[in-house]
């Protein structure tokens, strides 16, 4: 079998699921084994045989569909490629916004000017013609070109509706402007619909701008991941320390890392020791002790000591690069949301065009005098009343009101697609640290030694005075607990920290030691009087710190990441909504099961890193579930992107927030319940809007065609058709506004 090559081709001009389908259909063919077109990254990832089809031919296949494509620049780094994509998205958003705002202002002006009797002159219709033509050519041109592209491929979408509706109104107005006497001589008013054309274009452009901005914010997750890697690294070459670009590192380089710096690449420690914050991988707040021989990961943070390590894994093979790759793959393989309005319009548009043609034909042969003008008026009335205002507003108005209501509830929702997916959730997967729990260690128990000579307050004062000199999170928990009780610390002397064991110092004339059992043994402190308590608390997934004073055991403190007070209620409500709840964490199984049991969660998957979290989400999706992932850490980003709905805790990392479809602005799981309930209410409203918009067209089109004329002599003029179209839009907006009264259950 010939060697297969994978190529990611940048694609421009895609705006909807129909675009993705056309590009994918064009790429698939001889020599291509698989193709995935990604609307989020505007790219097509193609696996092909270059001996059968060269890369240039793949680009030409895409171009033949009317979309732009080019071969990728081989020397581009991930950061450079992301910057290029960000720039393109920004330009797209600004272009939509500029055209939408200008067109809306022009449309309102055109609509208001005729109200002034002084300006109603024969010149004004011609001025309207020129203005409208300019708006259509400048701001609306893309709709007509996309509609033409869809027609060439035998399909129809919202662009087709926009083109047909505005095009028919424009052509009718053009005829009324050029030859008004042809209308008046046959008893038909030469009505103008120029302002309707402009405002329809403007509103659609504003909606496109909002969508482009949301897409750019979502893609920001990959950008922030890439930014985790430092741009330079300090290496030892020829016995000299040099700062070199990370891209110039080679396998085997000795890299030097000081306290507080990010580790630039993956490697193995060769000299020194330190505590490293690996929360970007595991999500756990506890730092990991690194000694000679231990592996370190690029993007993690060195906390305490300086050390040297040998660079081992660089470029695309590094852990951080693989996480970025997983993010891209997850976004690319997610099934695109099929807009109900597009599905309706794919059938509705051809039907409307056929009805308009039949209407023209019947009136032309049956109307007698003035048959052409009456036939034209009736067919245009059909097209105008079928204009997609109500259908086009059905979804975005509900989305606008729902996202506004969500913001009031502390829930930020990235558009209608996120709402639609959230309404269909069947399984909710929860990260542990920072999601179910508070995300930082806190003292949960204080047990004094049987023969302690100090009381609890005095013991905590000495322990906090000692730990105030340490950067360890456990030390910070002790200091925070003492501060919360109003205990003031003293200055420590002769402070000494022992990595992986604890610390000691002289405070107010006392020799104070705090640490694990090994630390107590090192300083000949007998910890056996509290051994049973230590075993009990350790069994509850708590970390035990012994405190010794002047060579005698004083107490032990238990430290854990406590469950948020609201998590239990949130889990109970999620279950009440008919959802399965799963905990997914990188923490050890014992701790995970203890937290899950307290929170009311039965199913736990523990000890998994970012790739394992993503794979578990995939497995659940493979069972036919619609999965929501709720998390707050960098390590959750691939799973958030893979899930059908990613829900990020807003108090967590920026990368998790960018990767999610929904952001909870406070660290309260009850907000996730609000988001799901709001999504379900919004989808009900969207379906109601689409139903009434469709019914309006179903009733209005026959009336416009003259169904009542034989029996009652009633013929719907284009003016009444236009008014009816406006009223249908008002009804859709009014129905959407009911979402402002949405009330969450908790």
């Amino acid at each position: 079998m010939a060697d297969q090559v994978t190529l990611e081709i940048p694609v421009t001009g895609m705006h909807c699921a129909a675009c993705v389908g056309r590009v994918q259909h064009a790429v698939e063919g001889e020599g291509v084994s698989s193709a995935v077109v990604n609307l989020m990254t505007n790219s097509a990832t193609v696996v092909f045989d270059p001996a059968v089809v060269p890369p240039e031919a793949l680009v030409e296949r895409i171009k033949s569909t009317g979309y732009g494509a080019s071969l990728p620049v081989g020397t581009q780094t991930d950061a450079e490629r992301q910057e290029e994509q960000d720039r393109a998205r920004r330009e797209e958003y600004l272009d939509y916004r500029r055209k939408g705002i200008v067109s809306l202002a022009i449309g309102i002006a055109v609509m208001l000017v005729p109200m002034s009797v002084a300006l109603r002159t024969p010149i004004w219709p011609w001025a309207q013609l020129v203005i409208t033509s300019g708006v259509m050519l400048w701001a609306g041109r893309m709709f007509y070109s996309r509609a033409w592209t869809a027609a060439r491929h035998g399909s129809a979408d919202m662009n087709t509706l926009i083109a047909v509706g505005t095009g028919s109104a424009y052509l009718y107005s053009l005829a009324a402007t050029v030859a008004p006497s042809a209308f008046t001589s046959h008893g038909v008013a030469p009505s103008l619909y120029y302002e309707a054309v402009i405002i329809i274009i403007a509103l659609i452009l504003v909606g496109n701008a909002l969508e482009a901005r949301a897409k750019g914010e979502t893609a920001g997750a990959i950008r922030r991941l890439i930014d985790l890697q430092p741009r330079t690294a300090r290496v030892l070459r020829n016995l000299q320390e040099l700062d070199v670009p990370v891209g110039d590192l080679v396998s085997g380089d000795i890299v030097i890392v000081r306290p507080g710096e990010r580790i630039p690449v993956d490697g193995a420690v060769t000299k020194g020791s330190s505590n490293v914050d690996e929360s970007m991988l595991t999500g756990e707040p506890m730092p990991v002790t690194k000694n000679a021989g231990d592996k370190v990961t690029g993007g993690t943070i060195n906390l305490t000591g300086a050390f040297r390590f040998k660079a081992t894994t660089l470029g695309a093979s590094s852990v951080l690069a693989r996480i970025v790759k997983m993010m891209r793959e997850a976004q690319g393989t997610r099934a695109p949301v099929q807009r109900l309005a597009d599905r309706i319009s794919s059938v509705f548009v051809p039907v409307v065009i056929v009805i308009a043609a039949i209407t023209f034909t019947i009136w032309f042969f049956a109307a007698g005098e003035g048959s052409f003008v009456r036939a034209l008026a009736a067919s245009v009335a059909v097209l105008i009343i079928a204009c997609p205002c109500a259908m086009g507003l059905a979804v975005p108005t509900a989305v606008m009101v729902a996202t506004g209501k969500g913001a009031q509830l502390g829930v930020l929702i990235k558009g209608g697609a996120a709402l639609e997916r959230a309404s269909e959730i069947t399984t909710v997967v929860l990260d542990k640290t920072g999601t179910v729990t508070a995300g930082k260690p806190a003292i949960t128990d204080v047990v004094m030694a049987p023969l302690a000579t100090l009381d609890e307050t005095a013991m905590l004062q000495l322990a906090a005075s000692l730990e105030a000199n340490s950067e360890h999170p456990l030390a910070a928990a002790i200091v925070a607990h003492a501060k919360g009780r109003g205990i003031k610390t003293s200055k420590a002397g002769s402070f000494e920290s022992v990595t992986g064991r604890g610390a000691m110092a002289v405070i107010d004339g006392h020799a104070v030691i705090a640490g694990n059992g090994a630390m107590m043994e090192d300083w000949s402190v007998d910890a056996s009087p509290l051994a049973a308590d230590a075993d009990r608390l350790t069994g509850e997934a708590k970390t035990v710190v012994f405190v010794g004073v002047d060579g005698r055991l004083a107490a032990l403190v238990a430290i854990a990441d406590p469950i948020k007070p609201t998590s239990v209620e949130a889990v109970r409500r999620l279950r009440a909504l008919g959802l399965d709840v799963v905990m997914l964490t990188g923490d050890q199984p014992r701790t995970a099961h203890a937290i899950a049991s307290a929170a009311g969660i039965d199913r736990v998957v523990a000890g998994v890193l970012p790739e394992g979290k993503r794979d578990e989400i995939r497995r659940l999706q493979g069972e036919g579930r619609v999965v929501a992932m709720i998390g707050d850490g960098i390590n959750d980003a691939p799973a958030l992107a893979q899930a059908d709905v990613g829900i990020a805790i807003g108090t967590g990392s920026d990368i998790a927030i960018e990767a999610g479809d929904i952001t909870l602005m406070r660290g309260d799981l009850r907000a996730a319940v609000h988001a799901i309930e709001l999504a379900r209410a919004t989808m009900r409203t969207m379906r109601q809007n689409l139903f009434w918009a469709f019914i309006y067209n179903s009733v209005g089109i026959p009336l416009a065609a003259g169904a009542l004329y034989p029996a009652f002599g009633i013929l719907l003029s284009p003016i009444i058709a236009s008014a009816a179209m406006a009223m249908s839009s008002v009804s859709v907006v009014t129905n959407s506004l009911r979402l402002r009264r949405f009330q969450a259950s908790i």
Side-chain angles (χ1 to χ4, degrees):
M1 180 181 290
D3 292 335
Q4 298 285 303
V5 174
T6 300
L7 180 66
E8 185 175 341
I9 303 173
V11 182
T12 59
M14 295 190 300
H15 300 89
C16 63
C19 299
V20 171
R22 284 195 287 271
V23 172
Q24 182 148 342
H25 180 73
V27 173
E28 293 171 340
E30 185 180 6
V32 175
S33 58
S34 71
V36 175
V37 181
N38 189 335
L39 185 60
M40 295 304 302
T41 59
N42 291 319
S43 64
T45 302
V46 186
V47 180
F48 67 103
D49 181 358
V52 178
V53 54
E56 294 80 5
L58 297 175
V59 171
E60 290 304 317
R61 288 182 184 180
I62 296 173
K63 287 183 175 180
S64 68
T65 64
Y67 300 97
S70 60
L71 289 176
V73 180
T75 58
Q76 274 188 322
T77 64
D78 283 339
E80 290 171 340
R81 180 168 57 175
Q82 193 60 46
E83 287 174 3
E84 184 176 303
Q85 290 179 352
D86 291 342
R87 185 168 53 253
R89 288 193 182 95
R90 178 67 178 170
E91 290 173 355
E92 180 184 49
Y93 163 66
L94 292 176
D95 183 54
Y96 282 142
R97 188 181 70 172
R98 179 176 60 254
K99 290 179 177 178
I101 292 174
V102 172
S103 299
L104 189 60
I106 292 173
I108 293 173
V110 170
M111 183 172 58
L112 294 178
V113 168
M115 294 181 180
S116 172
V117 177
L119 292 176
R120 289 186 179 178
T121 67
I123 299 176
W124 180 238
W126 291 94
Q128 286 181 295
L129 171 61
V130 173
I131 293 170
T132 306
S133 299
V135 170
M136 294 175 73
L137 289 172
W138 174 63
R141 180 174 53 192
M142 67 188 76
F143 300 127
Y144 306 107
S145 62
R146 292 175 196 167
W148 173 244
T149 300
R152 285 173 51 206
H153 291 84
S155 62
D157 54 21
M158 287 300 293
N159 292 304
T160 309
L161 282 174
I162 295 166
V164 169
T166 58
S168 60
Y170 174 80
L171 292 174
Y172 183 87
S173 301
L174 173 64
T177 301
V178 174
S181 59
F183 291 78
T184 56
S185 63
H186 295 92
V188 178
S191 304
L192 304 179
Y193 305 100
Y194 291 121
E195 72 280 0
V197 173
I198 298 172
I199 290 177
I200 289 171
I201 290 173
L203 291 175
I204 299 298
L205 285 169
V206 171
N208 286 346
L210 295 174
E211 183 180 345
R213 184 174 64 178
K215 187 192 296 184
E217 291 171 355
T218 302
I222 296 176
R223 177 176 62 253
R224 291 180 182 273
L225 272 174
I226 293 171
D227 288 342
L228 283 178
Q229 185 178 57
R231 295 288 185 263
T232 61
R234 187 177 297 106
V235 299
L236 187 65
R237 291 179 179 172
N238 299 322
L239 302 180
Q240 291 185 334
E241 293 185 13
L242 303 172
D243 287 334
V244 301
V246 169
D248 292 344
L249 289 176
V250 296
S251 182
D253 268 336
I254 300 299
V255 183
I256 302 169
V257 184
R258 297 191 174 99
E261 295 180 341
R262 281 195 183 274
I263 297 171
V265 294
D266 299 353
V269 177
T270 58
K271 183 178 180 182
S273 63
S274 182
N275 291 313
V276 176
D277 179 358
E278 293 190 331
S279 59
M280 64 160 278
L281 291 175
T282 65
E284 300 311 309
M286 303 295 188
V288 180
T289 301
K290 298 292 183 180
N291 296 303
D294 291 336
K295 293 181 179 180
V296 292
T297 303
T300 57
I301 303 173
N302 180 31
L303 295 177
T304 53
F307 64 90
R308 298 179 180 182
F309 72 93
K310 179 186 291 186
T312 57
T313 308
L314 307 173
S317 300
S318 69
V319 171
L320 187 59
R322 291 203 305 271
I323 293 176
V324 172
K325 184 173 183 288
M326 285 188 290
M327 287 280 292
R328 292 185 186 276
E329 288 177 348
Q331 290 182 342
T333 55
R334 175 186 294 166
V337 177
Q338 295 292 324
R339 301 283 189 185
L340 184 56
D342 280 343
R343 292 200 294 269
I344 293 174
S345 65
S346 65
V347 176
F348 178 68
V349 174
V351 170
V352 168
I353 293 173
V354 170
I355 292 174
I358 294 173
T359 300
F360 180 90
T361 302
I362 292 174
W363 277 99
F364 182 77
F365 288 105
E369 184 180 359
S371 59
F372 177 80
V373 174
R374 292 189 181 276
L376 181 62
S379 59
V380 168
V382 169
L383 292 171
I384 289 176
I385 208 166
C387 197
C389 265
M391 198 175 294
L393 289 171
V395 172
T397 54
V399 170
M400 288 177 66
V401 179
T403 51
K405 183 63 179 181
Q408 294 177 7
L409 297 170
V411 178
L412 298 184
I413 303 167
K414 296 180 180 178
L419 280 166
E420 183 172 342
R421 290 194 298 270
S423 70
E424 300 167 349
I425 293 169
T426 61
T427 301
V428 175
V429 177
L430 304 175
D431 173 48
K432 179 182 75 67
T433 305
T435 301
V436 176
T437 66
K440 58 182 179 181
I443 289 180
T444 58
D445 303 84
V446 177
V447 182
M448 299 301 296
L451 300 178
T453 58
L454 302 171
D455 61 18
E456 183 175 320
T457 300
M459 182 276 299
L460 285 172
Q461 191 271 335
L462 292 174
S465 299
L466 167 65
E467 300 291 18
N469 297 274
S470 174
E471 297 177 352
H472 199 286
L474 295 180
I478 295 173
V479 173
H481 184 78
K483 184 178 180 180
R485 292 180 53 169
I487 300 173
K488 296 183 179 180
T489 59
S490 300
K491 185 176 181 180
S494 303
F495 175 81
E496 181 181 344
S497 176
V498 182
T499 301
R501 292 179 182 263
M504 66 82 59
V506 176
I507 301 165
D508 296 337
H510 297 283
V512 184
I513 306 168
N516 56 22
M519 185 71 172
M520 296 299 107
E521 291 181 11
D522 291 344
W523 292 87
S524 301
V525 174
D526 182 13
S528 62
L530 294 179
D533 293 288
D535 290 341
R536 172 178 58 82
L537 293 168
T538 301
E540 295 174 2
K542 299 175 181 178
T543 301
V544 172
V545 176
F546 294 99
V547 179
V549 179
D550 295 330
R552 299 183 63 181
L553 183 68
L556 69 77
V557 294
I559 300 173
D561 181 11
I563 295 177
K564 295 176 183 177
T566 56
S567 293
V568 175
E569 183 183 7
V571 170
R572 178 189 60 78
R573 183 57 193 163
L574 288 170
R575 288 182 175 278
L577 291 174
L579 304 173
D580 293 329
V581 182
V582 180
M583 178 184 284
L584 184 60
T585 177
D587 204 355
Q588 58 180 324
R590 184 177 64 182
T591 303
H593 282 282
I595 296 296
S597 177
I601 302 171
D602 298 327
R603 186 172 178 180
V604 179
V605 180
V608 288
L609 293 179
E611 187 171 0
K613 288 189 174 186
R614 181 202 61 178
D615 291 344
E616 179 63 20
I617 298 294
R618 281 181 174 174
R619 192 187 66 76
L620 290 170
Q621 290 171 325
E623 295 176 358
R625 302 169 183 251
V626 179
V627 181
M629 170 70 191
I630 306 179
D632 73 321
I634 295 170
N635 63 309
D636 298 318
L640 287 167
Q642 177 65 44
D644 297 282
V645 182
I647 303 178
I649 305 293
T651 53
S653 75
D654 288 344
I655 291 172
I657 292 170
E658 296 290 354
D661 302 293
I662 297 173
T663 300
L664 311 181
M665 294 308 295
R666 60 187 189 277
D668 186 344
L669 268 181
R670 292 179 299 181
V673 178
H674 301 165
I676 294 171
E677 290 178 335
L678 178 61
R680 291 181 177 182
T682 303
M683 282 309 299
R684 285 195 298 270
T685 300
M686 287 183 188
R687 293 188 181 101
Q688 290 166 1
N689 288 347
L690 288 169
F691 171 78
W692 287 112
F694 182 70
I695 289 297
Y696 151 78
N697 280 302
S698 299
V699 174
I701 290 173
L703 293 179
L708 297 180
Y709 188 82
F712 303 100
I714 297 174
L715 184 62
L716 195 65
S717 74
I719 295 177
I720 297 175
S722 182
M725 179 186 70
M727 289 304 298
S728 70
S729 300
V730 171
S731 65
V732 164
V733 173
T734 302
N735 189 48
S736 296
L737 289 174
R738 294 190 305 113
L739 287 168
R740 293 188 299 185
R741 299 195 297 271
F742 168 82
Q743 295 291 330
S745 62
I746 56 175

